[in-house]
Amino acid sequence: MSVETKIISREISVILWKAAETLSTAESCTAGQISAAITAVPGSSTYFKGGVVCYTNEVKTKVLGVPADLLSQKGPVSEEVACEMVKGALKELDTTYALAVTGYAGPGGGEEAPVGTIWIAVGNREEIVTKKLEGDEGRDVNLQRAALVALQMLLDLLKKHHPAEEE
């Protein structure tokens, strides 16, 4: 875990704790790395309810409720699927905010997207923001970059919704 990831996780912690709001994750390619960064902060159990590692389409569908036809039409690495993963995490884990990541970290890509393509979505029930990462810098770097960008996106959204809650 990078120093930047730890710093951002701490900032997220302060805002969620002060706002008495909750967070969940739905991670495919990052396989729990983001949840690990969030829970590395002492006291995270007050706002982090849990995460789903949804490495397969079956788990995306059965646990998070991502429509199977959407996965067939758009593929598992798409903006639409990332947004549905956020909605599913919000609903199934009953949280205020959720963060989702789906992508091809490497070494191989898929039919619809080359290796290094990663979609990130963060949001609440009213707003979801997304970002597409592209470019293959190797599996480890791709995953570290995805985790860092996802956490920064969450922090930016939290600051937008809670400007008075920052340290």
Side-chain angles (χ1 to χ4, degrees):
M1 186 178 321
S2 71
V3 172
E4 294 92 351
T5 302
K6 288 180 182 180
I7 292 168
I8 294 169
S9 295
R10 174 74 178 119
E11 289 183 70
I12 289 167
S13 166
V14 170
I15 295 170
L16 287 172
W17 184 80
K18 285 182 178 180
E21 292 183 323
T22 55
L23 174 65
S24 59
T25 60
E27 298 182 67
S28 185
C29 63
T30 51
Q33 288 185 27
I34 296 167
S35 297
I38 291 164
T39 59
V41 177
S44 57
S45 62
T46 60
Y47 54 87
F48 184 69
K49 283 195 171 184
V52 175
V53 175
C54 46
Y55 223 58
T56 65
N57 288 346
E58 179 184 14
V59 174
K60 288 176 181 76
T61 300
K62 287 185 176 181
V63 177
L64 295 174
V66 175
D69 61 335
L70 179 65
L71 286 161
S72 296
Q73 293 169 8
K74 297 291 184 174
V77 179
S78 64
E79 181 177 27
E80 295 86 352
V81 168
C83 289
E84 289 299 316
M85 289 167 62
V86 165
K87 292 174 188 175
L90 288 168
K91 180 183 176 196
E92 297 305 324
L93 297 167
D94 190 27
T95 56
T96 316
Y97 289 90
L99 180 157
V101 180
T102 185
Y104 295 118
E111 290 179 21
E112 75 284 352
V115 65
T117 304
I118 299 171
W119 275 100
I120 302 166
V122 298
N124 58 24
R125 284 171 174 76
E126 290 78 43
E127 176 182 16
I128 297 175
V129 294
T130 62
K131 184 168 187 152
K132 182 181 185 182
L133 302 181
E134 297 179 280
D136 181 17
E137 299 179 47
R139 183 176 179 81
D140 290 342
V141 174
N142 293 345
L143 293 173
Q144 288 174 355
R145 180 179 55 156
L148 183 61
V149 170
L151 288 168
Q152 185 62 58
M153 287 173 64
L154 175 61
L155 179 60
D156 292 345
L157 185 65
L158 289 170
K159 285 180 175 181
K160 174 184 170 185
H161 288 256
H162 303 288
E165 302 297 333
E166 299 176 52
E167 258 187 333

